[in-house]
Amino acid sequence: MSMNPFCEIALEEALKIKESGLAKEVVAVTMGPSNCVDTLRTGLAMGADRGIHVEAARDLVPLSVAKVLKKLVEVENPGLLILGKQAIDDDCNQTGQMIAALLGWPQGTFASKVVLDKEKQVATVDREVDGGLETLCLDLPAVITTDLRLNQPRYATLPNIMKAKSKPIKRYTPEELNVEIKSDLEVVQVTEPPKRKAGVILSSVDELIDKLKNEAHVI
Amino acid sequence: MEKWRATSNLRRSLKSILNRQLSSVSEFRYLNEKRSCQSSFNLIRDCKSLGQVNAIQHRCFSSASTLVQRNPSFSTLNSDDISYFKGLLGEKSVIQDEDRLETVNTDWMHKYKGSSKLLLLPRSTEEVAQILRYCNSRCLAVVPQGGNTGLVGGSVPVFDEVIVNISSMNNIISFDKVSGILVCEAGCILENLISFLDNQGFIMPLDLGAKGSCQIGGNVSTNAGGLRLVRYGSLHGNVLGLEAVLANGDVLDMLGTLRKDNTGYDLKHLFIGSEGSLGIVTKVSILTPPKLSSVNIAFLACNDYSSCQKLLMEAKRKLGEILSAFEFLDTEAMNLVLHQLDGVRNPLPASMHNFYILIETTGSDESYNREKLEAFLLSSMEGGLISDGVLAQDINQASSFWRIREGVPEALMKAGAVYKYDLSLPVEKMYDLVDDMRIRLGDLAKVVGYGHLGDGNLHLNVSAPEYDDKILEQIEPYVYEWTSKHRGSISAEHGLGLMKANKIYYSKSAETVQTMASIKKLLDPNGILNPYKVLPHLLNS
């Protein structure tokens, strides 16, 4: 099991913010079965201070994740929530937006650059959108989801892996947080795209015309 | 020791013969010969034929050990030959087009260039046999060629030899899922075999940076080593059988798929590593290990070379059966890679360390193996053997670590001229050579050391913006003599090819080489297979 690449980028950004003195603490959160703790340990080895593991069965949908996060926010009171823009197993791209709505916080998604201003308590976020880059200014606390070009995550070096072993991880269950995990979605079918057929090498223009006319029916 | 003295006597007497014969030659060549005398055994075999000499075209290599003369007993191609080949193979497999010939005439490093006028692409063993039978009868010299990724000029013509390229013979013949025995044609690209086996749950026992282009026939013919030798052993152990075509067109079917077969002399071992000089390998039967699920890789930094050695000892002891690769690179190599290649970054933060070690483990139990590796790394760290290190967390990180190590040859190519040496040395002494070379070369060139520390194999590379004889003089024969003094091998895995054809005496005794020459004479009386390479030219008469 390994960390979702976008979440890795989010964690790296959080660590950078802490290292620049704008944050006191970085808390890494994961949700899922017990072997998720390994991923959390990697996060702690990268530099997070504490870990939170919410024990739940697999196949969590974004809305459930968002509801659990909302409860954790009420407990922890963070100044900033950073997530990866989407998970590479379901490619939903929903959790960040949902949690922002549930909390009533501003959101800056697909961030490719984040600049915090502690005094004014705002975050300036450059977003990667279809037309180019959009710059937003968000009041803190806010939700930011990270895109690929934001940073390059650091490797977890051995001395840090050693230190991570003693960092605390708190366990919760969804019941303790008063969240009901249910899915309003049912996966009906998953199919692979049809396999590409091999190309054919032709030996003359006549043959090409013949194939275009009689096989592909385009002329 | 006596044997070495005998060979240096041989050298001295050759030198005097050379000097006497040269008095009749033009001044230019004499000067060149004089310079190359120290290091080469090249003799102008037949002084009378000097008039029709076709001197070798070497773009950048200087006179030292490259004054080969085209053997006048080889015929030249004529139109009848071309018609015969066209009739035998079909028009498409007989290439005379200049652009395509340009590529196959030049080696991967752009250091050696031949002037062949004909490229043949046989599609079956029978076609290869017919080609060789014909060439033997016509006394046409032949160069067997596969992926053309060799590093000693062994895969390209020296003069106008006919190139027989096996790339079209790329079928996988069979694979036994129970035993893991793969039978395939010699032109299969290594990476394709790796992907095929991946789907079956197996891996190839060898892995090298050139896997995207190199072919298994070439790997077998050069007894390629690679990154996993420390775990799976050499090809001599993994190749169960092969099919080869001799110079006279006879097909030797030794394509067994048996683990044990003690019936008679095991001839396949002659072909493994003979670099195409005894026969053309057309099919290979190889034992493939099962693919184990847990692969972990760590990138470590050490402060000095003795820590690297101790780490190797500890790794062999503590990681034992799960160790699958142990590579090293020095700071120079790391700097070069970071500089020359895109998308590569140093996994270890900030400060530059002196040596980098890459350890890979392969086992069947993920959590157990990872714990074992982590425990080993942490204890090495506490023991002061490593100053820093990173354990790859996922497949992306793992491939980026390999990219650094596998990218060194590529980075060296991009940096300009490179003098490549591939030596087997006792592990304690290995890096002393690199330090010595740094002192000898000073500002002239950059010396880079990296290689398969687990196998005692150093890749010593000297990098400079341009080729320069002054640099070469400082390197050869010093490197060979140094290696010889420590009873090392002057070619651990790259082979002799053209580059080291006359250097064999640094690592093998005269009697051994004489026996090799007899075998060559027996299997290839006309000497048409890959001439001018592997064995000293002196013996090819």
Side-chain angles (χ1 to χ4, degrees), chain B residues 14 34-35 68 103 109 140 170 186 260 267 278 285 295 298 300 310-311 354 460:
Chain B
L14 278 181
K34 199 160 184 217
R35 243 191 309 166
V68 193
T103 336
M109 295 199 301
L140 287 168
N170 57 5
K260 301 163 89 169
L267 290 181
L278 295 179
S285 146
V295 179
L300 313 165
K310 289 196 201 115
L311 192 65
N354 293 327
L460 174 72

Side-chain angles (χ1 to χ4, degrees), chain A residues 1-3 5 8 38 42 45 152-159 161-162 165 203, chain B residues 300 345 347-349 374 377-378 381-382 386 388-391 393-394 397 400-401:
Chain A
M1 199 181 262
S2 60
M3 201 186 287
E8 226 179 332
D38 293 334
T42 309
Q152 245 195 341
R154 64 194 62 183
Y155 291 99
T157 58
L158 288 175
I161 293 180
M162 269 161 74
K165 290 201 192 292
S203 52
Chain B
L300 313 165
R345 56 176 179 138
L348 296 168
E374 262 185 32
L377 293 175
L378 293 176
M381 186 119 198
E382 280 161 12
I386 49 182
D388 204 351
V390 184
L391 189 51
Q393 301 299 324
D394 56 38
Q397 290 189 0
S400 61
F401 293 170

Side-chain angles (χ1 to χ4, degrees), chain B residues 177-421:
Chain B
K177 280 192 99 145
V178 176
S179 57
I181 297 177
L182 171 72
V183 182
C184 63
E185 289 183 327
C188 292
I189 294 180
L190 186 60
E191 190 152 57
N192 292 346
L193 291 176
I194 293 175
S195 321
F196 168 78
L197 287 175
D198 203 58
N199 288 336
Q200 312 285 336
F202 288 81
I203 57 169
M204 285 299 279
L206 82 162
D207 192 8
L208 34 151
K211 57 186 156 223
S213 311
C214 67
Q215 296 168 11
I216 191 69
N219 291 143
V220 167
S221 300
T222 53
N223 191 20
L227 306 160
R228 301 257 155 67
L229 198 132
V230 70
R231 168 74 169 255
Y232 299 116
S234 91
L235 282 176
H236 280 289
N238 293 310
V239 170
L240 297 179
L242 52 88
E243 181 191 72
V245 182
L246 295 177
N248 62 2
D250 282 352
V251 176
L252 285 187
D253 179 2
M254 305 173 286
L255 198 61
T257 52
L258 309 167
R259 285 304 301 275
K260 301 163 89 169
D261 181 11
N262 279 349
T263 52
Y265 306 144
D266 202 350
L267 290 181
K268 66 174 188 282
H269 290 294
L270 274 183
F271 294 92
I272 302 175
S274 61
E275 305 179 49
S277 61
L278 295 179
I280 298 188
V281 173
T282 46
K283 294 198 181 85
V284 176
S285 146
I286 187 164
L287 181 64
T288 64
K291 183 173 164 163
L292 297 174
S293 52
S294 152
V295 179
N296 283 303
I297 176 166
F299 201 86
L300 313 165
C302 292
N303 274 327
D304 52 41
Y305 186 66
S306 69
S307 314
C308 297
Q309 289 175 59
K310 289 196 201 115
L311 192 65
L312 174 60
M313 272 167 33
E314 285 295 302
K316 283 195 167 156
R317 196 168 300 270
K318 298 237 172 83
L319 295 175
E321 72 282 4
I322 60 170
L323 182 66
S324 59
F326 195 103
E327 300 286 313
F328 94 105
L329 21 143
D330 63 9
T331 339
E332 287 286 2
M334 175 61 103
N335 284 339
L336 203 66
V337 171
L338 293 175
H339 221 82
Q340 297 286 349
L341 299 180
D342 301 318
V344 172
R345 56 176 179 138
N346 192 338
L348 296 168
S351 63
M352 288 307 277
H353 308 269
N354 293 327
F355 292 93
Y356 296 94
I357 303 269
L358 192 142
I359 295 185
E360 185 193 67
T361 62
T362 310
S364 45
D365 187 334
E366 174 68 48
S367 49
Y368 171 66
N369 291 336
R370 202 177 166 78
E371 261 176 56
K372 203 165 167 177
L373 182 57
E374 262 185 32
F376 166 71
L377 293 175
L378 293 176
S379 73
S380 306
M381 186 119 198
E382 280 161 12
L385 285 180
I386 49 182
S387 52
D388 204 351
V390 184
L391 189 51
Q393 301 299 324
D394 56 38
I395 205 169
N396 283 326
Q397 290 189 0
S399 37
S400 61
F401 293 170
W402 273 121
R403 177 93 185 91
I404 297 173
R405 164 62 185 86
E406 285 179 330
V408 183
E410 200 188 318
L412 281 162
M413 279 276 289
K414 288 191 171 166
V418 56
Y419 295 93
K420 240 181 222 306
Y421 297 91

